[in-house]
Amino acid sequence: MSSGNMEEEQQLEEPLFILENGEVYRNPTEVKMSQIVLPCHANHCAELSVGQLLKWMDSTACLSAERHAGCSCITASMDDIHFEHTIGVGQVVNIQAKLNRAFNSSMEVGILVSCEDLFSERQWKVCNAFATFVARRTDSGKVQLKQILPRTQDEQMEYSIAAERRRMRLIHADIMKDLLSNGPVSRVGECQEYQNAVPAEKTRVESVELVLPPHANHQVNTFGGQIMAWMENVATIAASRLCNAHPTLRTIDMFHFRGPSQVGDRVILRAIVNNTFKNSMEVGVRAEAYRGREPLRHINSAFMTFEVLDEDKKPRTLPRIRPEPVDGMRRYREAIARKKIRLDRKYIISCKQTEVPLSVPWDPSNQVYLSYNNVSALKMLAAKNNWVLSSEENKVSLYTLEENQFLSFRVEMKVDVPAERVFILLSDLSRRQEWDSHYKQCDVINQVDEDDVIYRVVTPSVSKDSKFQDFVLLASRRQPCDKGDPYVIALRSVTLPTHTATSDCNRGEVLCAGFTIWEESKTITKISYYNQATPGVMPYISTDIAGLSSRFYSTFCACSKFLEENKDGSPAVQSAAL
Ligand code: COA
Ligand code: ADP
């Protein structure tokens, strides 16, 4: 069993939030479950089986969703999960779930799993996950859920980013299909014939389960956690057959419950190792349900990554696989593509912002995650509650925030222009030259999709060598997900092999910048501009922050004038032009 060491121990409880009236606030949707791991929950290595953990996670999260919805809910999906540690018999698992956001009939629940050693009182994080639950339809149709009111800074951040995660979830299947048919997989060559390669068919598993009342809720629907547990079980058998050893599950890709199953259904689970890499393997599982002589219904497919640990808990080198022809070969190639996508996702999404390099390489296969990272970084910066007002001039305010060795600034003003129009005008970066004298040139390099564009921007030099500076920026724009949301335009640097730095320009980098645009009334709009200042940007703003100048004021007056002069354009035409 691998467990956390002292350095890895974390503050797992959110600090208490005291309301103005002195009451201690507790999120009303928060649900906690604690379980002692008994031998009946564990595998042969006396470690908690992941299937059992998934069942506990699903039921804790479901109770949180139902507490908000006030009606029965079903699991629609569970995002990627990375297991950082295993949990041993005798240890305590603490699961905490709370609602991050309600949409129409669906809700995102955040789940945190930690392990506690009762003898040493140490606690460490095992994994966190996001699950989506849907309120069960009633006879009158889809349920419209009430919204939640985030109170703490942490809740506001999760609320804001939940909308971005939802966007990614809903396009996930299409993205994967697209990437597998046009992306890296098409560049993967034929499978080489390795000596001692294990034939894939040796790992094939087929197993059937009868859905009984204990597997289902009071509405007779099979629990999502139960399906995940059955899938994990067959995947583990397939992985063990490859290496004749006990594997450890490291990652589960996103689960999507395509359709329900009920008490009385038979669930057929099929698994096979799709490919092996040096230290890990991908196992795919397909779950189908049927009843009597009815045709099979495809209810879920999942991909899991396993490792095999040696005595020192280091991953062992795994044998190569010899795939079966046709489907096996296709899955073998697709597993390589998924490995790249998984790495991109993990690298871009789960890294703490300070650990990600300033500019990240852009390519079509990581576009979705980069654009998620871009928007969520800006939303996180905007949700901070420790901004300090640094100066104010005629209602244009400059705020600063010092955190994690970064100095960020925010400029805020109101304009007499409708919010949607402001969004359209500001999200077209090539028009920024009309109000920002720092933008000498701005060219579209790649119109990635309707909402994401890569630009090259040239600005005057900030150093004395009088060279120009250029930036390659990914601009991601988002319409509000709900009435109370802002419009968002996020900017961050990316690198492109076609646009490397040239000798006549210094390459500048933007870590996180952009606008949030709030509709205050039909005509009045509040605009906040954010920038997490990197050394290349600091000289532009430091004299303003120090109170020695007010360039920010003149720039944002020019912005306001530009917006007012262009407020009557046709939104539809401008939007399509983006
Ligand atoms: N991930 C997250 N949410 C999803 C989703 C996915 N992959 N697919 C759909 N949804 C959300 C939609 O965004 C929508 O949310 P909203 O109402 O807040 O806008 C909600 O699910 C309903 O979507 P809708 O288009 O009305 O229905 P659908 O036909 O796509 O059905 C499910 C979605 C989840 C209800 C349906 O696929 C289902 O019944 N799945 C099985 C669920 C189940 O039984 N789980 C237990 C294990 S078997
Ligand atoms: P795909 O074949 O495109 O990967 P599926 O949803 O059909 O998608 O299957 C998901 C995974 O389940 C496959 O990658 C494979 O690993 C496993 N699988 C599917 N069908 C079988 C089967 N008949 N026997 C064993 N494993 C299977």
Side-chain angles (χ1 to χ4, degrees):
M1 200 216 68
S2 80
S3 64
N5 57 33
M6 293 304 272
E7 292 92 67
E8 288 170 306
E9 284 172 43
Q10 323 191 359
Q11 172 76 40
L12 295 167
E13 294 272 337
E14 217 184 299
L16 291 179
F17 183 67
I18 315 287
L19 297 177
E20 272 167 17
N21 62 9
E23 265 178 55
V24 175
Y25 166 76
R26 179 168 172 188
N27 186 315
T29 67
E30 184 182 278
V31 173
K32 291 182 180 184
M33 180 190 274
S34 291
Q35 300 277 355
I36 291 197
V37 179
L38 300 173
C40 61
H41 304 131
N43 59 21
H44 46 275
C45 304
E47 284 166 357
L48 173 63
S49 82
V50 174
Q52 178 61 63
L53 178 60
L54 290 170
K55 283 202 261 183
W56 286 335
M57 286 165 71
D58 180 61
S59 42
T60 314
C62 183
L63 293 180
S64 170
E66 290 186 348
R67 190 177 263 189
H68 178 75
C71 62
S72 156
C73 298
I74 45 175
T75 323
S77 69
M78 180 81 87
D79 292 3
D80 297 7
I81 313 177
H82 303 274
F83 296 97
E84 293 170 27
H85 301 289
T86 52
I87 306 170
V89 168
Q91 288 177 323
V92 170
V93 187
N94 294 311
I95 304 172
Q96 217 177 317
K98 64 175 190 291
L99 204 73
N100 289 332
R101 185 159 183 162
F103 300 101
N104 303 307
S105 67
S106 68
M107 295 152 275
E108 181 190 281
V109 180
I111 310 162
L112 175 65
V113 180
S114 59
C115 178
E116 179 183 347
D117 187 292
L118 290 176
F119 300 110
S120 63
E121 295 182 13
R122 287 164 52 222
Q123 277 213 45
W124 55 91
K125 181 178 145 192
V126 173
C127 68
N128 65 338
F130 298 100
T132 304
F133 287 84
V134 177
R136 182 186 304 281
R137 280 171 186 263
T138 59
D139 292 340
S140 44
K142 226 170 132 165
V143 171
Q144 181 61 51
L145 295 164
K146 61 178 185 294
Q147 295 310 309
I148 65 160
L149 183 67
R151 308 282 293 258
T152 66
Q153 178 181 292
D154 184 54
E155 285 173 16
Q156 276 154 8
M157 224 179 270
E158 293 297 352
Y159 177 88
S160 174
I161 302 172
E164 197 54 23
R165 280 191 291 259
R166 172 180 192 254
R167 182 179 194 272
M168 200 161 62
R169 231 167 257 142
L170 294 180
I171 55 173
H172 178 260
D174 289 340
I175 293 289
M176 289 306 278
K177 211 189 301 165
D178 194 43
L179 287 176
L180 295 178
S181 52
N182 307 315
V185 72
S186 53
R187 300 196 289 269
V188 175
E190 283 309 299
C191 148
Q192 280 176 273
E193 188 56 54
Y194 292 98
Q195 253 191 349
N196 306 328
V198 178
E201 53 271 28
K202 183 186 161 208
T203 71
R204 183 190 293 280
V205 184
E206 179 179 316
S207 179
V208 68
E209 300 281 352
L210 171 62
V211 182
L212 296 171
H215 302 134
N217 60 17
H218 46 291
Q219 306 283 342
V220 304
N221 266 77
T222 318
F223 281 119
Q226 180 62 69
I227 303 272
M228 292 191 277
W230 283 334
M231 293 174 80
E232 189 268 338
N233 173 53
V234 288
T236 305
I237 299 172
S240 313
R241 284 185 180 163
L242 175 96
C243 52
N244 301 116
H246 296 303
T248 302
L249 180 58
R250 281 289 171 228
T251 307
I252 305 182
D253 292 2
M254 188 182 288
F255 268 100
H256 170 213
F257 293 93
R258 304 161 58 101
S261 87
Q262 274 113 23
V263 169
D265 276 350
R266 277 72 170 159
V267 177
I268 303 234
L269 302 133
R270 293 191 174 92
I272 197 163
V273 174
N274 287 336
N275 205 339
T276 60
F277 307 98
K278 190 163 180 292
N279 294 320
S280 67
M281 67 181 107
E282 182 197 273
V283 183
V285 196
R286 183 181 168 100
E288 290 165 308
Y290 74 96
R291 174 177 286 260
R293 290 178 188 280
E294 286 171 17
L296 291 175
R297 305 182 320 265
H298 181 191
I299 56 170
N300 210 318
S301 284
F303 300 95
M304 306 187 191
T305 308
F306 288 85
E307 286 173 351
V308 178
L309 304 179
D310 64 17
E311 279 132 27
D312 302 324
K313 303 287 173 203
K314 298 262 176 315
R316 250 172 56 181
T317 305
L318 296 176
R320 296 289 185 159
I321 194 110
R322 185 173 339 109
E324 294 177 306
V326 195
D327 269 349
M329 272 308 298
R330 172 180 59 80
R331 290 174 187 145
Y332 177 95
R333 285 198 221 100
E334 290 179 351
I336 300 174
R338 274 189 295 267
K339 183 171 192 283
K340 175 185 173 339
I341 295 166
R342 227 171 262 138
L343 276 176
D344 282 344
R345 282 170 76 99
K346 189 170 172 206
Y347 178 62
I348 298 168
I349 297 177
S350 2
C351 280
K352 294 196 182 72
Q353 207 190 353
T354 44
E355 290 166 7
V356 181
L358 293 188
S359 296
V360 262
W362 182 90
D363 77 48
S365 72
N366 65 19
Q367 156 59 26
V368 179
Y369 318 119
L370 269 182
S371 121
Y372 164 82
N373 168 285
N374 194 12
V375 174
S376 59
L378 184 69
K379 286 185 166 185
M380 268 195 253
L381 191 60
K384 296 270 156 104
N385 57 9
N386 42 347
W387 288 94
V388 178
L389 181 63
S390 164
S391 51
E392 193 167 27
E393 196 162 331
N394 283 337
K395 299 203 175 133
V396 180
S397 316
L398 174 66
Y399 295 82
T400 55
L401 172 84
E402 276 183 79
E403 218 175 57
N404 296 336
Q405 301 156 2
F406 287 109
L407 174 68
S408 304
F409 64 89
R410 165 176 129 213
V411 181
E412 206 158 83
M413 65 175 180
K414 289 187 185 168
V415 291
D416 190 1
V417 180
E420 192 193 7
R421 186 74 197 135
V422 171
F423 173 66
I424 288 163
L425 288 166
L426 292 184
S427 60
D428 184 357
L429 241 59
S430 42
R431 295 197 69 180
R432 185 149 160 184
Q433 295 159 84
E434 294 178 44
W435 58 272
D436 187 348
S437 58
H438 283 121
Y439 268 49
K440 293 291 171 219
Q441 195 186 324
C442 178
D443 304 310
V444 173
I445 296 180
N446 187 351
Q447 174 81 48
V448 181
D449 58 33
E450 206 188 319
D451 292 327
D452 295 274
V453 185
I454 302 178
Y455 295 93
R456 177 171 175 265
V457 175
V458 180
T459 68
S461 165
V462 280
S463 59
K464 293 205 177 72
D465 66 4
S466 75
K467 268 193 202 171
F468 280 94
Q469 257 207 136
D470 71 345
F471 297 83
V472 176
L473 297 178
L474 170 66
S476 308
R477 60 173 204 163
R478 297 289 183 268
Q479 309 256 5
C481 171
D482 256 323
K483 246 182 151 200
D485 277 346
Y487 292 85
V488 173
I489 304 162
L491 306 169
R492 70 154 304 147
S493 284
V494 290
T495 58
L496 280 180
T498 49
H499 289 76
T500 48
T502 53
S503 54
D504 53 337
C505 268
N506 289 324
R507 179 56 56 89
E509 291 185 305
V510 172
L511 182 57
C512 171
F515 297 91
T516 58
I517 298 160
W518 296 87
E519 182 176 276
E520 297 243 308
S521 70
K522 284 263 169 289
T523 54
I524 303 293
T525 300
K526 185 173 86 180
I527 305 172
S528 300
Y529 172 74
Y530 295 86
N531 200 315
Q532 193 159 38
T534 50
V537 183
M538 269 317 287
Y540 289 122
I541 196 75
S542 51
T543 54
D544 283 354
I545 292 173
L548 300 173
S549 67
S550 52
R551 252 185 316 189
F552 78 94
Y553 174 66
S554 42
T555 304
F556 285 86
C557 280
C559 177
S560 168
K561 192 158 164 264
F562 161 77
L563 294 170
E564 304 226 355
E565 282 172 2
N566 291 284
K567 74 174 173 189
D568 294 325
S570 144
V573 173
Q574 294 279 357
S575 173
L578 272 171

